[in-house]
Structure formats: C-alpha cells, structure tokens
Amino acid sequence: MDIVYTIWLRNVKRYLRSKSRIIGSLGMPTFFLLVLGFGLNSVVSLPGMSHGYIGFIIPGIISMSVLFTSIFSGIQIIWDKQFGFLKETLVAPVSRIEIMLGQTVGGATTALIQGIIILVISLFLGLRISSIPGFALAIIFMTLIGLSFTAFGIAFASRMEDMHGFQLIMNFVVFPIFGLSGALFPIDSLPSWLRSLTMLDPLTYGVEGIRYGLLGTSQIDPVLSFVVLSGFTIFMVVLGAYLFRKIST
Amino acid sequence: MVAIEVENLTKEFNGFVAVDHISFSIESGEAFGLLGPNGAGKTTTMSMLSTMLKPTSGRASVHDFDILKEQDDVRKSIGIVFQDQSLDEELTAYENMDFHGRLYRIPKNLREKKINELLKLVELEDKKDNLVKTYSGGMRRRLEIARGLLHEPRVLFLDEPTLGLDPQTRNHLWSYIDRLNKEKGITIILTTHYMEEADKLCDRIAIIDKGKIIALDTSEKLKESIGGDVIEIMSSDRDKIHSVIKAFSWVKHVDVHNGSVTINLQNAEKHVAEIVNVAYDNGIEIESISIHKPTLEDVFLYYTGRTMREEEASSKDRMRMMHKPQRR
C-alpha cells in the first residue's frame, strides 16, 4: 500500500501544481454547460424531466470532465516514458501492479477533483442537491468512471511508443465514448439501433448513475448502472495491469 | 569478494546481436569501465545487469543474486544513473529523493536524514526545494547520483555519467565518483565513450566493440599490450607507407585509417630516422610525423583497426536501421 500511496502522492502533487492544466481542462466542460445548457434550454423539452435541459446535461458534463481527465492521466505514462522518469519507477524493487494501481488511484483522484469542480460550477447554474445520499452516490459513480478510464488510459499507454497515437485515441475512442453515452440526450428517445450502441458504452451507466444521484431520476436502473460500471472498472484495471506488466522503456 | 559475475551474456534484437557472449567479473570495491563507441552494446549490458532487459542467453549475477531469478534482490543492491535523465522535473529535488526513498521502503526518519546528507554531499542542499526544471545539466546529474545512493546500494551503475556536460562540471563529477569509490568502497560500473573518463576513474577497463569485449585489463596494461610507443604519420600516400613499413621486424602493428598511418612499436625514438629514410627512398612524401605514448584511443585502434570516431559514424547508421522497424 505504501508504494501505491507514493505513486498517488506524486500524481496529486503534480496535478495541484499545474494550475494551467486545471484551468485549461475546465474550459471545455464549462463551455459545453453554458452554450448547450442555455442555448438549448428553451428549445428542448424532455418528457418527464422537470430540471430543464441544463439540469439534464449537468451529470453528462461532469462525466465528460471526469472521463477526459482520467484518460489523460492514464496516458501520461507515455510522458514519463519519454522523459525517462518511468525507468526510475520500473527499476525499483516494487511490483508493476503496485505502480499501476498507484497510477490508477492517482489519476482517478485528479479526475474526481475535476468533476467536483464542475459540480460546484453547476450549483451556480441552477443545480440543487436535494439529498446527501444522492450526492454520495454521484461521487461513487464519478470515482468509478475515474478508476476505469484511468486504467483504460494506462492500458493504451502501455502499448504506445510515443504521443503520436494520442490524437487517434481522442478522436476515435474518447469522443465516441462521450458522444454515445447519453450525456447530452435521453437514450429512451433514440432509434433502437443507436440505443443498443449507447447501451454498449460503459460511460452511459456512469452518466445515468450520476444523474440518478443528482436529479433523482434516470432511465437506467441505478443498481444495474452500478453493477455494469463496477464490472467494467474491474475489467479495465485487470487489463491495464496486465498490459502495464509488459511495458518496456 | 565478487560483486558482479557475467557469463556468456547475449542479447539479440530481431536478429541483431547487440551483446555477444560477453563474460567478465568485477570485484567488490572495484571501479570498472565499459569503454566503447555509441552502439557498442554498453547500455544494453547495463540494462541486463540492472534487470531492465532480459538476456537472450547467458547468465549474470550481482552480489550472488541472479539477474533473472532474484530480480528484487538485485534491484535492492544496485543504484543506477541512467544515460538519459530520469528525474521528475515538476517535483523539487527533495521530492524526487523522497519519492525514491519511499519506493525503496526506507523508513521515514532514516529517509529524511539520508536525503539531507546526500544532498549535502552533492552540494544541492540549498536548492533542494527548487523544482528540478530550474536545474542545470550538471545539477541534475548530481541529483541523480545522490538519488542512486539513497538506498545505500553496494554497486552503483553509471551509464555515460558525464555525457553532454561541460569540462568543468565533468571534472567535478569525476571527483565525486572517485570519492564514492575510494572512501565509501562502493563498487562502480560505468559506461563511457570518453577515453579520459575511463582512464581517470576505472581500475579496470573492458573495451567493447560490436557487442564483444575485445580487451580487458587495467589502463596501463592495455597500453603496454600494444607496444611501448606509437608513431603517427600523416601522408597522402598511406597505403604505400603501410606496405613498406610492415616489413620491418621491430614493427609490432601498423594501421591505416582516415588521414594517417599508426605504427605500434618499442623504442620509437630509435626507428624514426629509419622510417623517414625508407620513405624518402621510396619517394613517399611525409607531411608530419609524431611519437607519443599509447592512449586508450590507440588501444581501441589497435584491437579494432578503426578509431572510435569512425566506429561511431558507422554504428549510428546501424542503430538507425535497427530502430526503424521497432518504431512501427
């Protein structure tokens, strides 16, 4: 555990120190919230939703923020590789699993902080937190998204030589995961072929879980959301750990 | 006591033999140098000994711990300074040290004490709370050496420790390394392609070329082994000189390479006149002629037939060829 803590500590220290990164990564989610939220609030009316469109997308934008931050944290291993720091960690008498877990928990922590900042911003945009258990549930779902997608980033980073593949992953993996997740639209009203695609997207369950926690309503049973997302998290951590074991400097 | 034992260690990358059945052993407390041009296999050897890379065949042990079977024990007993920088620039010097100490599970009290001690040793104590990205190249190197020593390893690996540093910083680092070896009795294994570095720091030197050890001994003995003196002749007619000179019985070895002819022999002073006469008789024009005591450069030339610089130019092409398919 002390090794996991050591790696976690480094990640959090680096995160808190890079003010530009914190502010920079808040830009897009805030922009989405304002533009989509206010822009579409009056035109879009959702059946059975009392919070308006802006209330509807807040959980989606929080998920987006957590998703992007965590994948980026995972992929950061490539920077460590290129700047040589990874060697220092790999040559120490510690197991790769510990390193990978530390990295995962560290990335998830930064992603969670990022998500909470968006949540706080949302409070100024009309979000009302009605119940503490609901809020706690939202945090749990945010944590699960953070853990699973940091591990996801690590899995990718373990197979990548340098940062060139990063753009590819952003465009062909991260954006589709976000776009298909039901962060921006209700999945019930989708055509059935598209709906089945969204049901295959693990982030859908995260978004729906957070939505249930914050708004009290969701289109997927929160128990199902929790089970699926937990399963996905375990799977990604195992896969990430497996691929990280074979990483070479 | 033996610190490092290497037997027929071999590493192949997609059919390219980077390290070719090398064997040597290093005594505890010794400073041992692997000298050779870039791409000779020095770093690959280091990587295998530090358990970062699995050998294709052969075996090696560090303090009797097998590099394949007892990886963690090997890792605990060695400290490494890599060829490329391996510090976290976003952390301070102290935090880099602290991270290392925690990774090696050094208890808090001891960790703090050792970090301050070592930062003092490498004269970075007053800058310990500055971010590493504000450090100069020499300071970074010193910090890496201090970090490598934090867990009190008995063997310190230094991979090109002074590469890219200015001469003054280099001298400074040499004195640190020498002190670690002489005063603290830490076994040192270093790779370098600077002759002077190997000459100055190492008790014994292994000259490595194309993955093979071609000579291994103390610096003095290596130089003695190629004959007492070296005569170097600059001329446009090098091949002709070569064919004329090699007939003499007192010539131990002649080499032709870019720009000059190098002759290894005993008592050079006696034979200079003879060489000039013979050249004159054969109508060969000599631009200049010089006598010097052998250097490690001459030793390298003697055993490989090439100077280190020539070797580096060709090995760069080889590396390029080797790395291209891997990148994909």
Side-chain angles (χ1 to χ4, degrees):
Chain A
M1 270 319 278
D2 43 353
I3 302 302
V4 176
Y5 171 74
T6 302
I7 312 267
W8 174 86
L9 187 67
R10 166 180 180 249
N11 273 284
V12 174
K13 264 187 186 161
R14 280 181 64 109
Y15 169 75
L16 294 179
R17 220 161 262 177
S18 58
K19 305 273 181 297
S20 61
R21 190 182 140 202
I22 300 177
I23 295 168
S25 52
L26 288 176
M28 188 146 70
T30 314
F31 179 78
F32 265 61
L33 265 183
L34 294 175
V35 171
L36 289 181
F38 288 116
L40 297 177
N41 207 19
S42 51
V43 249
V44 180
S45 69
L46 303 169
M49 283 279 169
S50 55
H51 303 85
Y53 187 63
I54 189 157
F56 177 80
I57 62 165
I58 283 171
I61 302 301
I62 292 173
S63 311
M64 166 185 166
S65 180
V66 176
L67 170 79
F68 280 48
T69 313
S70 52
I71 289 198
F72 190 73
S73 302
I75 287 189
Q76 260 199 322
I77 283 192
I78 293 180
W79 288 118
D80 283 349
K81 201 191 235 181
Q82 284 194 330
F83 289 108
F85 188 75
L86 189 63
K87 271 190 198 160
E88 148 79 358
T89 330
L90 293 184
V91 81
V94 298
S95 72
R96 299 242 165 137
I97 307 262
E98 288 172 296
I99 300 171
M100 189 272 174
L101 287 180
Q103 199 73 29
T104 307
V105 181
T109 307
T110 58
L112 183 63
I113 297 173
Q114 208 73 24
I116 289 175
I117 296 175
I118 298 293
L119 201 142
V120 171
I121 292 175
S122 306
L123 291 176
F124 294 100
L125 301 177
L127 176 72
R128 293 278 166 273
I129 293 171
S130 44
S131 79
I132 297 299
F135 176 73
L137 195 67
I139 297 290
I140 291 174
F141 274 100
M142 283 156 72
T143 310
L144 285 176
I145 298 174
L147 288 173
S148 55
F149 284 102
T150 308
F152 185 91
I154 293 173
F156 264 108
S158 303
R159 300 303 299 265
M160 275 160 60
E161 269 298 316
D162 45 40
M163 271 318 227
H164 295 313
F166 183 66
Q167 209 55 36
L168 200 79
I169 291 175
M170 281 316 260
N171 288 331
F172 288 96
V173 181
V174 183
F175 276 108
I177 285 177
F178 170 64
L180 283 174
S181 69
L184 301 178
F185 45 79
I187 48 178
D188 276 350
S189 43
L190 294 174
S192 62
W193 65 272
L194 193 55
R195 189 168 193 280
S196 30
L197 266 182
T198 61
M199 298 303 276
L200 285 175
D201 182 350
L203 189 66
T204 304
Y205 303 90
V207 173
E208 283 293 290
I210 296 174
R211 199 165 274 154
Y212 180 81
L214 293 180
L215 310 180
T217 55
S218 67
Q219 291 159 312
I220 300 174
D221 185 351
V223 177
L224 177 68
S225 293
F226 182 76
V227 170
V228 173
L229 195 59
S230 303
F232 176 67
T233 305
I234 292 167
F235 172 74
M236 278 326 300
V237 171
V238 171
L239 181 70
Y242 173 75
L243 291 176
F244 186 71
R245 227 165 54 92
K246 298 185 164 178
I247 201 169
S248 62
T249 50
Chain B
M1 210 183 99
V2 177
I4 292 175
E5 182 96 64
V6 177
E7 263 174 55
N8 286 320
L9 202 63
T10 302
K11 180 70 192 178
E12 288 179 27
F13 296 105
N14 310 325
F16 171 78
V17 186
V19 174
D20 195 356
H21 295 90
I22 60 168
S23 303
F24 59 87
S25 81
I26 303 175
E27 286 294 309
S28 197
E30 201 180 343
F32 186 87
L34 285 170
L35 175 72
N38 292 330
K42 299 178 307 242
T43 301
T44 310
T45 306
M46 289 287 232
S47 298
M48 286 191 281
L49 291 179
S50 57
T51 74
M52 297 289 284
L53 204 61
K54 281 201 170 61
T56 310
S57 67
R59 56 165 299 278
S61 61
V62 178
H63 280 285
D64 284 334
F65 298 123
D66 191 281
I67 56 160
L68 278 174
K69 291 176 204 132
E70 292 151 305
Q71 285 200 353
D72 271 7
D73 292 306
V74 172
R75 290 172 177 200
K76 270 176 218 158
S77 56
I78 61 172
I80 306 178
V81 176
F82 296 104
Q83 183 168 351
D84 305 313
Q85 188 202 299
S86 63
L87 297 162
D88 188 337
E89 301 197 348
E90 303 290 331
L91 298 181
T92 66
Y94 189 91
E95 286 168 337
N96 266 290
M97 295 287 278
D98 189 62
F99 180 84
H100 184 90
R102 285 168 188 270
L103 275 189
Y104 285 76
R105 298 191 169 90
I106 303 168
K108 191 164 190 279
N109 292 336
L110 185 62
R111 191 167 71 221
E112 284 169 2
K113 191 174 140 264
K114 287 282 309 179
I115 292 175
N116 286 318
E117 224 175 83
L118 284 165
L119 286 176
K120 195 175 278 178
L121 175 79
V122 295
E123 294 166 53
L124 288 174
E125 52 183 331
D126 48 336
K127 295 213 171 63
K128 67 179 175 158
D129 293 324
N130 294 6
L131 292 182
V132 171
K133 63 179 167 195
T134 65
Y135 275 33
S136 69
M139 288 159 76
R140 286 167 195 227
R141 228 52 185 141
R142 264 144 59 198
L143 178 59
E144 286 184 301
I145 292 179
R147 187 179 66 179
L149 293 170
L150 186 58
H151 54 286
E152 303 190 320
R154 286 179 290 172
V155 184
L156 186 62
F157 287 65
L158 300 165
D159 196 357
E160 301 275 2
T162 63
L163 189 71
L165 299 180
D166 59 88
Q168 202 185 343
T169 315
R170 183 172 298 162
N171 268 315
H172 208 53
L173 268 175
W174 284 346
S175 69
Y176 281 128
I177 297 170
D178 206 39
R179 257 168 61 202
L180 290 173
N181 177 241
K182 301 261 154 45
E183 289 172 21
K184 306 213 171 208
I186 295 171
T187 311
I188 300 220
I189 169 165
L190 71 85
T191 73
T192 184
H193 65 277
Y194 296 123
M195 306 290 171
E196 205 189 343
E197 187 161 283
D199 224 351
K200 202 155 189 161
L201 292 175
C202 302
D203 298 322
R204 281 191 307 148
I205 297 165
I207 295 184
I208 181 165
D209 182 44
K210 293 182 177 160
K212 287 196 175 85
I213 291 182
I214 48 176
L216 197 172
D217 217 322
T218 62
S219 176
E220 289 75 43
K221 286 202 180 132
L222 283 173
K223 289 174 195 164
E224 274 170 31
S225 73
I226 65 167
D229 292 308
V230 177
I231 294 179
E232 202 166 341
I233 303 170
M234 306 284 275
S235 168
S236 54
D237 221 350
R238 295 180 291 274
D239 293 325
K240 208 164 172 190
I241 296 183
H242 179 261
S243 57
V244 172
I245 296 289
K246 76 176 176 199
F248 288 108
S249 61
W250 40 263
V251 169
K252 199 169 172 209
H253 190 84
V254 197
D255 255 317
V256 181
H257 53 101
N258 55 347
S260 60
V261 179
T262 307
I263 306 160
N264 301 100
L265 74 175
Q266 300 283 347
N267 306 321
E269 296 83 357
K270 271 194 197 163
H271 302 292
V272 179
E274 215 168 326
I275 291 171
V276 176
N277 282 337
V278 142
Y280 182 77
D281 291 347
N282 286 280
I284 303 167
E285 200 178 319
I286 292 178
E287 285 164 31
S288 77
I289 186 162
S290 67
I291 305 175
H292 61 261
K293 287 284 166 196
T295 62
L296 285 173
E297 178 77 60
D298 297 313
V299 176
F300 187 83
L301 176 67
Y302 177 87
Y303 285 108
T304 65
R306 294 176 311 278
T307 59
M308 284 261 272
R309 196 159 309 163
E310 288 166 346
E311 178 65 3
E312 256 165 35
S314 71
S315 79
K316 253 178 211 149
D317 293 335
R318 222 168 49 227
M319 295 282 280
R320 238 172 252 144
M321 298 283 285
M322 191 174 106
H323 279 293
K324 255 184 192 159
Q326 282 185 333
R327 276 281 149 89
R328 254 170 244 153

